[in-house]
Amino acid sequence: MIKVNKKKCIGCGACASICPEVFEMGDDGKAHVKNQKNLPCVKEAIESCPVKAISK
Ligand code: SF4
């Protein structure tokens, strides 16, 4: 299951720009998982997150 650790997320927006089909920025300034599509860009987003807040 794709998850964002909201305590770790600093709201940089990288995951949402790399993989907009799965991640979006919420009103709380944190990334949200929109769905559990296991696209290649999910892995890319995980690797690009500066605080390693995304897990799968
Ligand atoms: S890349 Fe990481 S820190 Fe940046 S918005 Fe996404 S989950 Fe948050």
Side-chain angles (χ1 to χ4, degrees):
M1 188 176 162
I2 306 162
K3 279 202 286 194
V4 170
N5 182 331
K6 297 237 163 87
K7 287 194 183 129
K8 282 193 190 169
C9 175
I10 54 168
C12 73
C15 55
S17 29
I18 291 166
C19 201
E21 274 204 70
V22 175
F23 301 98
E24 70 187 349
M25 300 312 292
D27 292 339
D28 58 359
K30 312 273 178 174
H32 291 250
V33 179
K34 297 196 308 198
N35 57 62
Q36 294 294 325
K37 282 185 200 164
N38 196 6
L39 303 173
C41 64
V42 172
K43 186 168 176 273
E44 227 183 295
I46 289 171
E47 285 164 4
S48 305
C49 177
V51 292
K52 303 264 174 280
I54 309 168
S55 59
K56 193 177 74 164

